Amino acid sequence: MKTDIVEVTTRSSVVVDKAALRRESRRPQGRGWPRLADSIAATVLIVFCLMALLPFAFMVVTSLQRTNVITIFLDPAKLELSNYVRLFTENGFGAALVTSIGVVVLACVVNAIVCSFAAYAFAKRPFPGSEALFWLYVATMMVPAQVTLIPLFTIMRDLGLLNTWVSLFLPVINAFGVFLIRQFMSSIPDEMLEAARIDGASEMQLFFRIVLPSMKPVIVALTIFTFLTTWNDFLWPLVSITNDRMQTVTLAVAKLQGRLLTDYGIIMAGATVSFLVPLIVYFVLQKQFVEGVTSSSVKG
Amino acid sequence: MRTGAGAGASEPVVKDDAAFAVRPRQRRRRPGKRAGQYVGVPFVLPSLVILMVVVIIPIVMSLYFSMTQYSVLGSPTWVGTDNYTKLLNDDAFAAALGNTVVYTLISVPLQTVIALLLADVLARRFRNRFGAIVRSTLFIPVMSSLVVVGVVWRTILGTNDGAVNVFLEAFGLERVNFLGDPTLAIWVVGLVTVWKNIGYFLVIYYAGMMDVPAELYEASGLDGAGRFGQLWHVTIPSLRPVTLLVVILGTIWSFQVFDLVYVMTGGGPGGATTTIVMMIFRAGFQNFQMGYASAMAAVLFALILIIAVVQRKVLKSNED
């Protein structure tokens, strides 16, 4: 009995001590400090946010003014859309937008289908040698795009595919999607697939009715990542597209700068158009967007 | 497991209801022995064909090209290791390699440290609406293409009528030749990279910090550690795998830099920002020395593999 009481009291006193210490550790420098430190930290963060945004604000402001001298200030009197009009009438941005959107849609759809197909086989229908094949897939993820650039160019040229949508979207397909989706597919219980098979579902029905719907979140993430890499790709379109009618938006922006070095208004208008599409998608799908892009970090 | 070939062979024939209870177990036990063991193959084929065309065959071709003399027209002529010996004596390539290393040494440490510090502040002080807004704001440059980033910063930093110089002049200060000065240019390109990447690595670090157990902070708080003590003794050690990822990714990206340099400086002034990929592009697609460019690409590939392996080793040995 007695020992029990002692133990309880010691225990409770220790708890009190801990709480006091914890309070102490929260404010190492006395009262008022945390609030001051918090506002300093908040100010630093706001400065970083401004630094992240200012160049884009500058880009938009410049694109809306007809001027060859850059100002950081918005002059309402000079505000006009003439740069955007010239962008689409004289510089083929309409065609570039169509190409970019078409290629992005193709890349996203084909990548999602092809990758989830393969992931399904690797996760749920392994065959002799599939393990080794999967490691070959993973190994291809280590190859930087710049290394395959020259052979890819000659292959596409020999197949007569240069300056086509196929040549623009095909190299976007990579094993990363297979790798990503396979991880999620393992979580589908085998029993569920087995039950569907017994009910007479064909392998295809199984895939499209059961497997694919449960892969929605990861496919959305992969699609966002595919969208961003395809939309922003530059080196491959630069070497493979020689026909101006087939140029992508990113390529068109770089070409604008090359041709009209000091016409800042129109260059910034092109940059704004190129930036606006991912930005809108980002605002709509913010959470999935960050997940989609960060999950690509596994790629290495 | 002892059922052996007999059960496996009879399996496809079994169609009556009574067998259903047994079948799933048998399936899992002997997956290689059933009739449908190649059911997965057609599912793999589309991706395999595409990967063959865009990665596997090109990587083999690239190695072959690197041993040949090959302009875009005509066919490759075998020259053995000539391209590689030529590379060893190519001052321009050595300079490009040096530029790439300097660019990496500028961008990677800075973006790693800044992302870590910002993520720490956000995770420890601002797990609220404000923090969420800061994180999504800093992510905006991440989504933008390097071409847009390059074009905009080039316009801001231009010598004659760049925004910064207009600003400097308005205050009576001297103009700075940001992109025309050989020593400054590589720093400018490196810092713009840091500007673009912070949001990305911040998000990765922040996600890692969410997984650090709160008890670790409480315990170190008991030991009298302040904010910086906790950052040093708790956060950084717990996030070593994340740091490994951030540093490896950052370095590999740095070694692949092209878009930003192409748009901002074109490799200039005087080759001061010519990087490896810039050289590959020029040799292959402007000078039509596809064989020589392929040899450079092979060196780049080897370097990237070495970096990944070495960094993994170094950061692993730090753990012990």
Side-chain angles (χ1 to χ4, degrees):
Chain A
M1 270 293 241
K2 254 192 176 179
T3 48
D4 275 350
I5 293 164
V6 172
E7 266 181 24
V8 168
T9 43
T10 30
R11 225 184 279 146
S12 68
S13 72
V14 169
V15 169
V16 169
D17 260 8
K18 257 189 189 169
L21 269 169
R22 221 176 284 160
R23 245 177 280 128
E24 201 72 36
S25 74
R26 271 198 205 130
R27 322 177 178 174
Q29 317 283 319
R31 265 165 209 232
W33 164 256
R35 216 171 270 173
L36 177 67
D38 274 350
S39 38
I40 293 173
T43 314
V44 171
L45 290 177
I46 291 170
V47 169
F48 269 92
C49 286
L50 285 178
M51 270 163 38
L53 290 179
L54 267 179
F56 295 115
F58 164 80
M59 168 182 84
V60 174
V61 168
T62 310
S63 77
L64 289 170
Q65 295 186 47
R66 181 174 221 135
T67 168
N68 289 339
V69 178
I70 296 163
T71 55
I72 331 163
F73 308 104
L74 190 65
D75 184 350
K78 284 185 187 164
L79 218 58
E80 55 180 56
L81 285 171
S82 70
N83 291 318
Y84 289 89
V85 173
R86 281 198 299 148
L87 202 60
F88 284 92
T89 53
E90 294 165 27
N91 294 285
F93 252 65
L97 263 180
V98 171
T99 305
S100 271
I101 291 170
V103 167
V104 162
V105 170
L106 259 177
C108 289
V109 171
V110 174
N111 202 27
I113 292 176
V114 161
C115 289
S116 45
F117 257 16
Y120 175 66
F122 287 129
K124 294 296 174 194
R125 294 287 176 262
F127 48 87
S130 66
E131 191 78 359
L133 189 63
F134 181 70
W135 285 110
L136 178 69
Y137 273 47
V138 172
T140 63
M141 285 161 51
M142 303 281 289
V143 182
Q146 296 86 351
V147 176
T148 52
L149 188 73
I150 290 166
L152 203 55
F153 175 82
T154 59
I155 289 174
M156 291 295 172
R157 184 195 58 190
D158 295 346
L159 293 174
L161 289 171
L162 288 183
N163 289 311
T164 64
W165 283 12
V166 177
S167 78
L168 281 174
F169 92 82
L170 214 57
V172 178
I173 316 293
N174 62 46
F176 166 67
V178 181
F179 182 76
L180 183 71
I181 299 174
R182 193 195 82 131
Q183 286 177 308
F184 279 73
M185 240 172 226
S186 311
S187 65
I188 298 178
D190 286 330
E191 287 74 18
M192 199 161 91
L193 300 179
E194 215 48 64
R197 281 170 69 94
I198 289 163
D199 286 346
S202 73
E203 207 64 31
M204 277 292 163
Q205 286 172 323
L206 209 80
F207 179 80
F208 281 106
R209 298 226 182 120
I210 299 176
V211 179
L212 214 51
S214 50
M215 289 295 102
K216 216 174 153 191
V218 65
I219 287 179
V220 169
L222 175 68
T223 301
I224 287 169
F225 172 64
T226 314
F227 156 75
L228 208 61
T229 40
T230 316
W231 185 268
N232 288 340
D233 195 12
F234 178 63
L235 183 55
W236 176 241
L238 179 69
V239 302
S240 69
I241 299 300
T242 49
N243 180 351
D244 273 357
R245 298 289 303 170
M246 275 305 296
Q247 63 186 354
T248 59
V249 170
T250 314
L251 189 57
V253 174
K255 287 219 171 136
L256 271 185
Q257 189 195 243
R259 265 182 306 148
L260 312 160
L261 256 177
T262 52
D263 199 338
Y264 303 111
I266 195 162
I267 296 168
M268 291 300 109
T272 306
V273 170
S274 172
F275 175 63
L276 220 52
V277 174
L279 187 72
I280 291 167
V281 180
Y282 177 57
F283 279 131
V284 176
L285 297 166
Q286 211 179 84
K287 193 165 164 272
Q288 294 94 319
F289 207 99
V290 174
E291 277 167 15
V293 176
T294 42
S295 64
S296 73
S297 63
V298 198
K299 196 181 159 191
Chain B
M1 245 168 258
R2 273 180 281 112
T3 44
S10 69
E11 201 186 61
V13 196
V14 179
K15 287 270 189 227
D16 54 316
D17 288 335
F20 284 162
V22 199
R23 268 181 69 183
R25 236 182 298 142
Q26 286 179 335
R27 275 189 182 287
R28 247 174 289 139
R29 247 188 256 158
R30 311 216 37 123
K33 287 274 178 178
R34 54 194 157 101
Q37 60 173 324
Y38 290 107
V39 165
V41 173
F43 283 89
V44 171
L45 278 181
S47 60
L48 186 60
V49 170
I50 297 178
L51 283 183
M52 278 299 216
V53 174
V54 301
V55 193
I56 299 168
I57 295 174
I59 201 80
V60 177
M61 284 172 71
S62 187
L63 282 176
Y64 167 66
F65 282 172
S66 76
M67 307 276 195
T68 65
Q69 198 166 47
Y70 181 31
S71 64
V72 220
L73 304 164
S75 48
T77 334
W78 185 262
V79 292
T81 53
D82 280 11
N83 286 326
Y84 292 96
T85 30
K86 196 175 151 199
L87 261 187
L88 280 176
N89 302 309
D90 188 342
D91 290 340
F93 185 72
L97 197 63
N99 290 335
T100 310
V101 171
V102 169
Y103 166 79
T104 307
L105 290 177
I106 291 170
S107 58
V108 173
L110 267 176
Q111 74 198 12
T112 306
V113 171
I114 296 175
L116 172 70
L117 291 178
L118 289 182
D120 183 65
V121 169
L122 284 167
R124 314 257 350 250
R125 290 181 199 269
F126 300 106
R127 288 196 188 195
N128 51 17
R129 192 88 191 264
F130 172 73
I133 294 172
V134 170
R135 277 183 288 135
S136 40
T137 306
L138 292 180
F139 203 76
I140 289 177
V142 176
M143 305 174 317
S144 170
S145 70
L146 277 168
V147 169
V148 167
V149 166
V151 163
V152 172
W153 276 103
R154 186 196 161 111
T155 313
I156 291 174
L157 297 171
T159 316
N160 291 321
D161 31 29
V164 172
N165 275 328
V166 170
F167 208 70
L168 286 178
E169 206 167 50
F171 282 92
L173 296 162
E174 234 171 271
R175 286 168 181 274
V176 181
N177 197 358
F178 291 103
L179 296 169
D181 180 319
T183 39
L184 256 184
I186 193 93
W187 275 91
V188 170
V189 177
L191 292 176
V192 169
T193 308
V194 174
W195 173 84
K196 180 176 157 62
N197 287 348
I198 281 176
Y200 183 84
F201 293 126
L202 165 73
V203 167
I204 293 183
Y205 263 127
Y206 187 81
M209 281 168 192
M210 293 293 110
D211 295 336
V212 178
E215 294 84 58
L216 286 181
Y217 290 109
E218 280 168 24
S220 78
L222 285 182
D223 295 341
R227 292 270 186 192
F228 283 104
Q230 288 178 331
L231 175 68
W232 190 251
H233 293 292
V234 179
T235 312
I236 293 178
S238 318
L239 293 181
R240 203 158 267 150
V242 182
T243 303
L244 170 83
L245 180 80
V246 167
V247 172
I248 287 184
L249 260 189
T251 309
I252 290 175
W253 287 0
S254 290
F255 267 73
Q256 297 176 325
V257 67
F258 173 77
D259 309 12
L260 199 62
V261 170
Y262 180 87
V263 179
M264 283 190 83
T265 62
T273 58
T274 299
T275 59
I276 301 174
V277 182
M278 191 81 199
M279 286 253 342
I280 296 174
F281 169 74
R282 271 203 209 131
F285 296 94
Q286 290 180 342
N287 303 333
F288 307 116
Q289 303 168 300
M290 296 247 171
Y292 194 46
S294 295
M296 292 183 204
V299 172
L300 173 71
F301 190 24
L303 284 175
I304 287 178
L305 281 182
I306 291 169
I307 290 162
V309 171
V310 167
Q311 282 181 331
R312 218 163 275 244
K313 280 251 164 70
V314 167
L315 280 154
K316 270 231 177 85
S317 67
N318 274 358
E319 266 169 51
D320 305 327

